[in-house]
Amino acid sequence: MLDAGSLPMEDPRVRIRPLRVEDAAAFAEGAADGAVREFAHLPEPEYTEASAREMIVGAAADGLARGDLAVLAIADPATDAFAGSIVVFDVQGQCAEVGFWLHPAHRGRGLTGAALALAARFAAQSGLHELRARTAPANAASRRALASAGFEETGTETGVTPAGETAELVGLVLPVYSLPELPLRTERLSLRLHVPGDEDWLHRVYSGAETARFLLEDPWTREEAGVRVRDRLTRTGLHTASGGFALVIEHAGEPVGDLALWLTDRRRRIAEIGWVLDPAHSGHGYAAEAVSAVLRLAFGELDLHRVAAQMDARNTASARLAERVGMRREAHLRQDWWSKGEWTDTVVYGMLPGDLPPA
């Protein structure tokens, strides 16, 4: 069931919300555009302001009330003006299809990609695990927008469009991931997203030889710390284009380490986890507590199939931590990585949902 209660949703570029009767004129005008008529496969061959109003108060409102159809407006977040439409439909189990079109006056501003990201959030709030899309092979703009939003093309086949026509269509799929409530809190810790200013303590930790010894990179310079934090600022969830999140581990308001979880196979829900603890805070079990909490999130709310951890085989402290939280040692790869002027071994740990220790 689609969660109408989670609407509207917005980001700095765009808002998605239920259609209103005030949108009828702009809806009809946009639907009359040549590209929309050719590629959008709308249920009606043409719309007038009156028929658009009838659709808004009828089929669109009824579908939202039932929870199986969401015909939404793409709107400017500053003015709330109608800029296009995005539709979530054909809800089957934990999957649904998404379609969209943009009024010609609002093209070229990146609204479509932003609206698709919000549609994925809406799907996640509704408990869906996958969004599908179909588009005409010649619709290059639609294919670019879908690809930029993380959709993966699955092939071309003949299908029936929402307009009831038979056409050759490119199929695409996007796994949907929920948005966990952050910061994530444990008995002693708070795991939060990065913020500007984290480069100071990260530079202190990652510039140390003890921390860098078993990592792939050399000790960080101050400039590298700034670059790394800017990258971490984009890693806010599995639902984002980055496909991962980077978290600061805090104890009593003080950063004691950081942790990341990122997708290695978005469609099949496989991820990797990594962590670094400030040596000044070792020996208290903070890293194990943080990793355990994120693994429970991964196999709970995020519904992942598998999480792996890879590390330098000499890093016995991380290996012990992986085993302590319930991960299984699956491989020892001999001299598989050239690091800091020498061949090094890698050990691989893995976890499936059934491996989680009892809470």
Side-chain angles (χ1 to χ4, degrees):
M1 297 287 287
L2 300 176
D3 180 15
S6 64
L7 298 169
M9 290 182 169
E10 67 178 71
D11 68 11
R13 290 179 295 172
V14 75
R15 173 182 297 148
I16 62 171
R17 58 164 174 78
L19 286 166
R20 298 196 293 260
V21 291
E22 295 85 357
D23 299 322
F27 186 102
E29 182 180 74
D33 173 69
V36 175
R37 290 176 64 87
E38 180 179 3
F39 292 127
H41 304 295
L42 297 177
E44 300 296 331
E46 63 179 61
Y47 287 88
T48 64
E49 182 176 351
S51 67
R53 186 181 299 113
E54 181 180 353
M55 178 272 295
I56 291 168
V57 301
D62 293 344
L64 265 183
R66 291 192 310 268
D68 60 9
L69 173 67
V71 186
L72 306 176
I74 300 172
D76 185 301
T79 66
D80 206 33
F82 178 89
S85 181
I86 191 160
V87 185
V88 181
F89 63 104
D90 192 23
V91 180
Q92 299 182 24
Q94 294 178 317
C95 302
E97 186 167 343
V98 64
F100 56 90
W101 59 270
L102 208 61
H103 191 292
H106 296 277
R107 292 176 188 156
R109 296 164 49 197
L111 299 185
T112 302
L116 283 166
L118 290 180
R121 282 179 51 188
F122 173 59
Q125 290 289 104
S126 301
L128 301 182
H129 281 189
E130 186 175 87
L131 278 179
R132 303 181 304 275
R134 295 178 297 163
T135 191
N139 193 349
S142 174
R143 294 172 75 173
R144 284 196 302 271
L146 289 161
S148 70
F151 281 79
E152 177 185 336
E153 294 193 1
T154 58
T156 302
E157 60 182 31
T158 300
V160 178
T161 71
E165 303 166 338
T166 299
E168 185 181 32
L169 299 168
V170 177
L172 303 97
V173 65
L174 175 73
V176 170
Y177 291 91
S178 65
L179 289 69
E181 185 175 343
L182 296 173
L184 179 64
R185 302 189 188 280
T186 70
E187 182 179 352
R188 299 181 296 169
L189 306 173
S190 175
L191 282 69
R192 62 162 175 86
L193 296 173
H194 283 74
V195 296
D198 279 335
E199 56 267 27
D200 294 330
W201 72 267
L202 280 170
H203 173 245
R204 177 177 56 78
V205 173
Y206 280 84
S207 63
E210 183 178 352
T211 299
R213 181 185 177 198
F214 299 129
L215 301 180
L216 298 181
E217 64 260 25
D218 292 321
W220 291 3
T221 64
R222 187 65 176 78
E223 293 72 24
E224 284 174 324
V227 172
R228 302 282 184 165
V229 168
R230 286 193 292 275
D231 174 68
R232 280 162 163 75
L233 290 173
T234 69
R235 299 181 181 276
T236 58
L238 303 189
H239 64 287
T240 64
S242 71
F245 53 73
L247 300 174
V248 175
I249 306 169
E250 287 188 336
H251 175 257
E254 181 182 1
V256 298
D258 70 335
L259 182 153
L261 180 77
W262 65 96
L263 293 168
T264 55
D265 190 325
R266 184 183 292 266
R267 186 173 179 186
R268 292 167 181 83
R269 311 183 83 85
I270 297 174
E272 188 168 337
I273 192 170
W275 56 86
V276 166
L277 189 73
D278 183 344
H281 294 278
S282 64
H284 301 287
Y286 296 149
E289 187 172 327
V291 171
S292 180
V294 171
L295 288 171
R296 291 189 180 282
L297 174 69
F299 292 118
E301 186 176 346
L302 298 176
D303 193 32
L304 294 185
H305 168 69
R306 169 182 164 83
V307 177
Q310 301 189 62
M311 62 201 68
D312 189 307
R314 298 169 298 178
N315 191 351
T316 55
S318 278
R320 287 195 301 270
L321 188 155
E323 293 168 358
R324 193 180 313 140
V325 299
M327 303 188 83
R328 298 191 182 187
R329 186 176 177 123
E330 297 179 338
H332 184 133
L333 309 177
R334 298 179 301 156
Q335 297 189 17
D336 69 314
W337 200 266
W338 180 260
S339 179
K340 300 182 175 71
E342 62 179 327
W343 285 109
T344 61
D345 291 8
T346 300
V347 290
V348 180
Y349 284 84
M351 177 174 269
L352 299 176
D355 298 329
L356 275 174

